[in-house]
């Protein structure tokens, strides 16, 4: 799946990776449903064994977006035995500030901010 | 009038602030205009940050203002009952303490019936007894159960916890109308430590 708008690009690639790029400031969970669905779809494709979310080119994400990532982290934690990786960039300030919270929700999460 | 938090700035006359924007959302989910206004204010202030070691970089300030103001404007659009939304802002360099700040004030009209829930939430956020990190994690767990996340206050909590930015609120009832003017203040430090 690939969604491209003038503000953001969302797609999945090999190795069960979902990429989010650009600026995501959608209103509430409803407008983020297509991303939530893609995350669940990719996780199922891996037979519930692994998933990576690559945020290294996501420059802005609002609190509604942070909420859907957190929800997914909690979902993965509850399912158990899934290798869940989140990739970020140290050059993007919101990621240094907010992504560590995901690890507090799911300590087994592999957080790579490089 | 009701004040929650340390609202230590006067409600400004338009001529006293650096940048004022007033707009009327054209629909309930007017996120595109929120983003345009946010980017304008963030770009404006990132040009005003001196390039000295004691200040955050212009890029960092741009990001901080972008996140924080966008959350405040989205809330104003989401919970506004009537009238326009006003954004006032200024660079506070005259404070006697060593920190310098960007002050953001976002105002909108809410109904009287919204006041109680807002007062309860914001009073919890500013209480010295509140562990913000614990509260944030609890809200995220609660939201994950599919509860009413729109009013969870997650935006406010992330501003205060992740960005270490104090918030305060002022509610002024409008006489002879069923509405109250809500002003949310954010005080963004532009100096490191």
């Amino acid at each position: 799946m690939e969604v491209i708008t003038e503000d953001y690009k969302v797609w999945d690639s090999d190795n069960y990776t979902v990429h989010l790029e650009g600026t995501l400031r959608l209103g509430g969970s409803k407008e983020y449903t297509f991303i939530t669905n893609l995350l669940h779809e990719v996780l199922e494709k891996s037979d519930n064994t692994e998933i990576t979310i690559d945020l290294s080119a996501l420059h802005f994400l609002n609190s509604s977006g942070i909420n859907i990532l957190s929800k997914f982290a909690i979902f993965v934690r509850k399912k158990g035995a899934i290798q869940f990786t989140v990739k970020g960039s140290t050059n993007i300030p919101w990621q240094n500030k907010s992504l560590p919270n995901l690890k507090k929700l799911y300590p087994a999460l592999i957080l790579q901010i490089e | 009038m009701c004040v929650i938090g340390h609202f230590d700035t006067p409600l400004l006359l338009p001529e006293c602030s650096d940048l004022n924007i007033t707009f009327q959302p054209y629909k309930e989910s007017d996120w595109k205009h929120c983003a345009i206004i946010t980017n304008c204010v963030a770009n404006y202030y990132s040009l005003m940050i001196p390039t000295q070691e004691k200040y955050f970089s212009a890029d960092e300030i741009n990001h901080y203002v972008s996140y924080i103001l966008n959350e405040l404007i989205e809330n104003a659009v989401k919970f506004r009952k009537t009238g326009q939304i006003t954004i006032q802002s200024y660079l506070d360099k005259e404070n006697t303490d060593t920190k310098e700040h960007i002050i953001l004030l976002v105002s909108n009209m809410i109904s009287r019936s919204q006041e109680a829930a807002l007062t309860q939430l914001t009073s919890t956020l500013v209480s010295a007894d509140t562990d913000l990190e614990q509260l944030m994690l609890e809200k995220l767990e609660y939201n994950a159960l599919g509860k009413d996340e729109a009013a969870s206050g997650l935006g406010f909590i992330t501003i205060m916890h992740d960005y270490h930015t104090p918030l305060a609120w002022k509610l002024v009832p409008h006489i002879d109308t069923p509405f109250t003017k809500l002003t949310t203040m954010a005080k963004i430090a532009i100096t490191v430590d």
Side-chain angles (χ1 to χ4, degrees):
Chain A
M1 188 191 102
E2 187 178 62
V3 177
I4 304 176
T5 74
E6 60 181 24
D7 297 320
Y8 58 82
K9 185 176 169 188
V10 175
W11 79 103
D12 63 309
S13 65
D14 296 339
N15 303 323
Y16 312 113
T17 300
V18 175
H19 304 259
L20 310 182
E21 270 189 24
T23 296
L24 274 165
R25 285 171 172 156
L26 307 177
S29 294
K30 228 178 195 174
E31 291 185 26
Y32 279 103
T33 304
F34 72 101
I35 295 176
T36 306
N37 289 346
L38 179 61
L39 292 172
H40 286 281
E41 199 180 291
V42 169
L43 183 60
E44 273 174 34
K45 259 192 225 168
S46 79
D47 289 328
N48 291 315
T49 57
E50 62 173 299
I51 185 165
T52 297
I53 305 179
D54 186 350
L55 306 171
S56 52
L58 185 64
H59 294 282
F60 290 101
L61 184 69
N62 64 3
S63 66
S64 300
I66 290 170
N67 194 45
I68 63 118
L69 290 183
S70 304
K71 264 186 187 178
F72 188 71
I74 292 167
F75 175 83
V76 170
R77 182 193 74 205
K78 286 181 177 169
K79 248 181 148 34
I82 294 168
Q83 182 179 300
F84 181 25
T85 306
V86 174
K87 291 182 177 175
S89 165
T90 50
N91 295 324
I92 303 178
W94 78 264
Q95 300 193 359
N96 296 312
K97 294 195 170 291
S98 296
L99 287 182
N101 296 331
L102 292 178
K103 214 169 156 57
K104 289 169 193 156
L105 290 167
Y106 180 34
L109 180 148
I110 302 162
L111 184 58
Q112 298 173 345
I113 305 181
E114 293 166 352
Chain B
M1 188 181 76
C2 170
V3 174
I4 299 135
H6 196 48
F7 206 109
D8 60 353
T9 187
L11 284 179
L12 296 171
L13 294 170
E15 57 269 29
C16 296
S17 63
D18 291 328
L19 184 61
N20 299 297
I21 297 173
T22 298
F23 77 109
Q24 175 93 31
Y26 77 98
K27 59 177 184 177
E28 260 180 43
S29 52
D30 194 5
W31 314 127
K32 198 83 182 170
H33 280 124
C34 293
I36 288 168
I37 293 165
T38 295
N39 291 344
C40 167
V41 177
N43 290 339
Y44 179 89
Y45 281 106
S46 61
L47 290 175
M48 291 172 76
I49 304 303
T51 47
Q52 292 169 22
E53 239 178 55
K54 73 167 187 166
Y55 294 101
F56 288 114
S57 71
D59 189 47
E60 283 170 307
I61 292 298
N62 192 305
H63 273 80
Y64 300 166
V65 173
S66 278
Y67 182 82
I68 293 164
L69 184 60
N70 190 65
E71 290 299 320
L72 299 186
I73 301 178
E74 280 188 7
N75 271 347
V77 169
K78 226 182 278 178
F79 296 107
R80 141 191 180 279
K81 287 297 174 198
T82 186
Q84 295 173 314
I85 293 169
T86 301
I87 298 132
Q88 291 184 279
S89 57
Y90 68 102
L91 193 60
D92 182 15
K93 295 188 77 165
E94 291 166 14
N95 216 320
T96 49
D97 65 26
T98 54
K99 284 224 173 198
E100 296 170 30
H101 299 89
I102 293 167
I103 307 291
L104 302 175
L105 296 154
V106 177
S107 303
N108 62 286
M109 290 292 192
I110 60 171
S111 67
R112 296 266 200 281
S113 59
Q114 292 172 290
E115 281 183 38
L118 178 78
T119 305
Q120 190 184 9
L121 170 70
T122 53
S123 299
T124 303
L125 296 183
V126 299
S127 164
D129 299 331
T130 299
D131 178 339
L132 278 177
E133 180 165 308
Q134 187 59 33
L135 182 66
M136 179 177 65
L137 297 177
E138 281 169 16
K139 293 277 183 188
L140 289 168
E141 295 282 352
Y142 181 80
N143 290 350
L145 300 173
K147 305 291 183 184
D148 179 19
E149 65 201 47
S152 72
L154 183 63
F156 289 156
I157 301 172
T158 53
I159 291 169
M160 296 174 77
H161 177 267
D162 296 354
Y163 291 81
H164 307 291
T165 294
L167 293 175
W169 296 265
K170 187 175 277 189
L171 295 108
V172 182
H174 260 213
I175 299 163
D176 299 332
T177 79
F179 302 111
T180 292
K181 183 180 178 184
L182 165 68
T183 301
T184 304
M185 185 199 79
K187 193 174 179 179
I188 306 172
I190 61 169
T191 44
V192 181
D193 293 329

